[in-house]
Amino acid sequence: TLQVAKVAASLGAVCANHTPVTALLRHAGRTTGAAVTDSITGRDFQIKARKVVLAGGAWLDNLLALDTPGVAPRLAPTRGIHIVLPGDRLPPGTAFALTAPADGRLVFAIPWHHRTVAGTTDSPYDGDPANPPFNLPEVDYLLDAVNHNFPGAGFARADVVAVQSGLRPLISRPGRGLDDLSRRHRLIRTPSGVLAVGGGKLTTYRRIAGKTVDAVLRYLAAARMHFPDAGLNTENVPLNR
């Protein structure tokens, strides 16, 4: 995510990191920007835009509530964890797709900086988006998956170098269980003119971003707002610039 921001900045985007949104700005019933706070300096300032897009991931409901107080939540977040293991017990330089013996779910074991990252789990979550926890049964679930497929590895809790916990901002579907929630993204338009995007997966972020930007450009064209054509197909821009 940071690399995407760095490449965007190199192509002319203005990035304001560490600046949580405190309010959305309105003019004549339309959302025209955001009030933010620089969490490093404490300075408050405003960001104006011809079209506001809320792409806040697990914080999308919080942002939609700033635009429309009392709006019903749109997300049904799920939590997933990865564990970091020593990298010398699995074949080096190879990523594996494994089957978890407990329930048959797909688990990946991927080499990373001389370690192995194994994951992920999937469970409902309704807590603080900034601090999703983990529990030891989840760790054991991933250890069992790796050890089941590589009996000689012998990984135990004491071998776990680190645990990473994150959220999937899935779109809720009333009456549907966790396994029935779609991993597809959805564009949401609010009465104030905000375009929000929720759901989807990090692995499909370019497709999600492309469809979102296309929707913004259609809006600008319909509103007869000039937007310079950069002539850049970001689909072919590498992230190692």
Side-chain angles (χ1 to χ4, degrees):
T1 304
L2 290 174
Q3 188 65 17
V4 170
K6 289 167 63 178
V7 175
S10 75
L11 296 172
V14 177
C15 298
N17 294 352
H18 302 284
T19 51
V21 175
T22 57
L24 295 179
L25 308 177
R26 290 288 184 93
H27 177 72
R30 306 287 291 179
T31 296
T32 56
V36 303
T37 299
D38 186 327
S39 59
I40 297 176
T41 66
R43 184 171 67 93
D44 298 325
F45 62 97
Q46 296 182 348
I47 300 173
K48 300 292 184 66
R50 285 172 287 179
K51 185 68 171 178
V52 174
V53 176
L54 302 182
W59 286 266
L60 183 61
D61 282 339
N62 304 61
L63 294 170
L64 285 172
L66 292 178
D67 180 72
T68 309
V71 65
R74 305 298 294 265
L75 297 183
T78 65
R79 186 187 72 238
I81 75 163
H82 290 79
I83 57 175
V84 182
L85 299 168
D88 57 357
R89 302 190 198 177
L90 300 182
T94 305
F96 296 94
L98 315 176
T99 300
D103 55 11
R105 288 187 71 251
L106 192 62
V107 172
F108 293 97
I110 302 171
W112 182 67
H113 294 283
H114 307 294
R115 311 279 189 179
T116 295
V117 176
T120 178
T121 59
D122 200 21
S123 56
Y125 183 72
D126 60 1
D128 180 4
N131 294 289
F134 72 94
N135 56 55
L136 290 177
E138 291 175 304
V139 173
D140 292 337
Y141 172 90
L142 296 177
L143 290 172
D144 290 344
V146 176
N147 288 330
H148 174 76
N149 289 272
F150 294 94
F155 287 118
R157 287 181 182 177
D159 296 309
V160 176
V161 178
V163 181
Q164 304 166 350
S165 181
L167 300 178
R168 302 176 184 87
L170 304 182
I171 297 294
S172 65
R173 301 181 67 184
R176 297 295 182 95
L178 175 63
D179 294 337
D180 293 330
L181 292 180
S182 173
R183 267 55 176 172
R184 293 181 179 275
H185 73 281
R186 182 181 301 173
L187 296 180
I188 301 166
R189 294 169 175 82
T190 75
S192 69
V194 162
L195 178 66
V197 56
K201 301 178 69 176
L202 189 61
T203 47
T204 58
Y205 78 93
R206 288 208 187 202
R207 179 179 294 274
I208 296 171
K211 291 185 176 181
T212 304
V213 171
D214 287 346
V216 171
L217 294 178
R218 286 194 296 270
Y219 164 81
L220 294 176
R224 300 184 182 278
M225 296 183 184
H226 173 67
F227 189 86
D229 183 3
L232 180 66
N233 183 0
T234 59
E235 183 176 312
N236 300 315
V237 174
L239 294 184
N240 59 347
R241 296 167 60 89

